[in-house]
Amino acid sequence: MTCYRNHQTLFGLCLLLFLFTSPLLATENQTDQECFESRDGMSQVRVREISPGLVNVKCSSTTGGVLWWGDPFAGTIPMGDMDIEADYSNEEAVVKPREPELDKNKMLTICSMACHDGNYVPIPHSKTPRPLKMHLDTVPDAMNLKHGKGNIWCLDCHHLVERTKLIDNFGYSISFNQPQKLCGKCHGQVYRAWRDGLHGKRIGMWDKGGKKRWWVCTECHNPHDVEQKERNSGFAQLRPEPAPNLPKGMVNADHERMHHGAHPDETGHE
């Protein structure tokens, strides 16, 4: 009897040790990962611990996309004023700032200080399209820009002097954190639908005064390639998650491919 009780005690201690250490080990392994929120290569998130045993995001092992947010408002900032007044009285609109993501390789810093400061590369005073010698990774064929079908050019969106800013119709600068102000110049209908919550993605609180995170245009769409080749769609097609496991005992899902009710041939009607 004494030996049996000793085994029970030892088993209990081992179980407690496993339950205590396994989340910590799992968190330590996850923090080595990087996944994307909406576009692979453009909205990367490195997994980090925001509190003991809790990570900021959980990545899909299949697609690399974010499956779950530990804190959906981590790193967000207020959206700021909009060009057209909207009703935010029931929520606090926040966005994930784009500039830190764009400047992670110091590109914005380099653009403003080393290249497009008007000295190293003179500021162009013409909007006439021309082949680009740089930025071919972003725009492979500048004379066949995959946005606007030949009706727009780089300087219709990027500020002529401040290359770390976008530009509106009146020549005023727009922060990269508020690309919706730029996109709304041409896509007013979509912009209004996005503002009203009919287009795009939001997560957060439903209660009055609660935070709501808004995804801005360039988090889902690639502004330099909205055609996506023959798909001609502004949204990049993502690899879907695998189908869920079948219930125990079910060998396939053929029943889901069958028509419900009697087959038209059996009823004599088409």
Side-chain angles (χ1 to χ4, degrees):
M1 180 63 74
T2 302
C3 181
Y4 174 73
R5 287 178 177 173
N6 288 339
H7 278 84
Q8 275 191 319
T9 304
L10 182 61
F11 176 77
L13 290 174
C14 291
L15 180 61
L16 287 175
L17 181 64
F18 172 78
L19 293 176
F20 177 76
T21 58
S22 57
L24 298 179
L25 292 175
T27 301
E28 183 179 353
N29 293 333
Q30 291 172 3
T31 53
D32 296 332
Q33 299 181 29
E34 184 179 72
C35 51
F36 64 95
E37 289 187 286
S38 52
R39 281 199 294 141
D40 192 12
M42 297 298 293
S43 58
Q44 306 307 114
V45 180
R46 181 165 293 281
V47 180
R48 58 184 176 81
E49 197 174 41
I50 56 177
S51 63
L54 179 65
V55 293
N56 58 334
V57 293
K58 183 178 180 181
C59 306
S60 166
S61 59
T62 304
T63 64
V66 173
L67 291 176
W68 172 84
W69 283 265
D71 180 3
F73 308 115
T76 58
I77 61 173
M79 179 186 293
D81 297 333
M82 304 284 284
D83 282 348
I84 302 174
E85 185 178 358
D87 180 14
Y88 302 135
S89 58
N90 293 326
E91 63 184 47
E92 180 184 351
V94 296
V95 297
K96 185 70 72 70
R98 302 291 297 153
E99 290 183 352
E101 179 69 21
L102 298 174
D103 207 28
K104 61 183 179 181
N105 296 323
K106 301 301 178 185
M107 286 305 299
L108 286 181
T109 302
I110 293 172
C111 285
S112 61
M113 298 180 64
C115 296
H116 295 287
D117 61 349
N119 294 317
Y120 182 70
V121 176
I123 297 174
H125 295 284
S126 171
K127 287 186 177 181
T128 304
R130 58 182 172 79
L132 298 180
K133 297 180 180 178
M134 301 291 289
H135 308 302
L136 300 182
D137 55 334
T138 304
V139 184
D141 184 2
M143 302 307 290
N144 187 24
L145 182 64
K146 300 299 183 182
H147 190 163
K149 300 189 184 302
N151 293 313
I152 63 173
W153 178 239
C154 307
L155 300 179
D156 289 314
C157 300
H158 294 271
H159 199 284
L160 180 66
V161 179
E162 299 178 79
R163 290 306 174 88
T164 58
K165 303 292 182 183
L166 303 171
I167 192 169
D168 67 9
N169 281 331
F170 302 98
Y172 296 108
S173 62
I174 299 174
S175 168
F176 274 94
N177 295 335
Q178 295 180 307
Q180 67 273 11
K181 291 184 175 181
L182 168 68
C183 302
K185 290 166 54 175
C186 299
H187 305 284
Q189 185 174 358
V190 179
Y191 171 68
R192 288 188 291 273
W194 171 82
R195 196 189 60 191
D196 294 337
L198 304 176
H199 181 101
K201 179 180 179 180
R202 297 181 198 177
I203 60 173
M205 312 296 185
W206 288 102
D207 58 322
K208 186 176 182 179
K211 282 187 177 180
K212 186 84 74 177
R213 183 185 165 192
W214 296 39
W215 264 252
V216 297
C217 315
T218 49
E219 286 183 278
C220 301
H221 302 280
N222 181 353
H224 299 110
D225 183 11
V226 295
E227 296 183 6
Q228 299 291 324
K229 298 182 179 178
E230 295 179 354
R231 294 182 61 242
N232 197 23
S233 170
F235 187 80
Q237 198 167 25
L238 301 178
R239 191 154 55 101
E241 293 287 330
N245 293 329
L246 292 171
K248 186 177 181 180
M250 185 179 291
V251 296
N252 58 54
D254 287 346
H255 65 285
E256 294 187 358
R257 303 184 182 89
M258 298 174 63
H259 295 286
H260 293 285
H263 193 276
D265 293 341
E266 298 174 355
T267 61
H269 302 285
E270 294 183 355

